[in-house]
Amino acid sequence: MGGLYKQTQSEGKGAAMADIKISDMMEMQIALWERNKGKWSPMEAEYGRNFILWMMEEIGESIAVIKKKGDAAIMQDQAVRSSFVEEMSDVLMYYTDTLLRYGVTPEEISNAYIAKHSKNMGRNYQSEYQNKYVK
């Protein structure tokens, strides 16, 4: 896996920080799947829904850290932060697995994300939602 992810130096800390692209995450998940494909479900669309459900479970585990430990602990306690970030990593892994099973390419999701961001930048959320739930 060439160019798996870019290592950068964080300012003033001297610690290596990884900056992973969507294509890197996909490569990593494919490598993990290849290692376990005899035990794991195939890379086929019919299994995509399962990965969304597992992603939701991981979101729940992330929420549990927030509820049980609180925002301040996530920001100030390294052990709590590490647990929270690990759960969020699980969310990204299942998200990536879902994309892979539906054959979504890194370019496709990147273009959709950029287009959606551009659309959102031009939106006026206050006026859009002002009367949305009024009968």
Side-chain angles (χ1 to χ4, degrees):
M1 289 186 278
L4 193 56
Y5 56 88
K6 179 177 97 181
Q7 293 277 37
T8 59
Q9 288 288 16
S10 64
E11 229 173 274
K13 296 182 182 176
M17 301 289 288
D19 185 5
I20 301 175
K21 300 183 303 182
I22 293 168
S23 57
D24 296 330
M25 290 189 293
M26 287 182 164
E27 286 180 30
M28 293 167 79
Q29 287 307 106
I30 289 169
L32 185 60
W33 177 78
E34 286 285 344
R35 190 174 188 178
N36 294 284
K37 68 180 172 183
K39 300 173 240 167
W40 290 5
S41 60
M43 281 287 178
E44 298 171 6
E46 68 183 276
Y47 299 99
R49 72 184 66 216
N50 295 339
F51 287 84
I52 290 176
L53 293 171
W54 290 325
M55 180 183 72
M56 299 285 290
E57 182 177 338
E58 295 300 337
I59 290 170
E61 290 179 20
S62 302
I63 292 167
V65 174
I66 296 167
K67 287 174 64 177
K68 292 176 182 177
K69 300 296 182 174
D71 302 324
I74 292 170
M75 299 304 294
Q76 298 165 4
D77 182 319
Q78 188 54 48
V80 173
R81 184 175 188 81
S82 179
S83 178
F84 176 72
V85 170
E86 181 176 338
E87 296 304 336
M88 293 302 295
S89 295
D90 287 339
V91 170
L92 284 174
M93 287 179 172
Y94 282 117
Y95 174 78
T96 302
D97 283 332
T98 302
L99 294 175
L100 287 167
R101 278 168 176 76
Y102 286 109
V104 178
T105 67
E107 297 78 18
E108 192 175 4
I109 194 67
S110 294
N111 288 335
Y113 187 95
I114 291 165
K116 183 65 175 184
H117 180 268
S118 179
K119 178 181 176 181
N120 288 345
M121 290 297 288
R123 291 172 73 179
N124 181 333
Y125 289 97
Q126 186 174 1
S127 67
E128 280 184 43
Y129 290 99
Q130 188 172 10
N131 297 315
K132 186 169 184 155
Y133 299 107
V134 177
K135 289 184 177 184

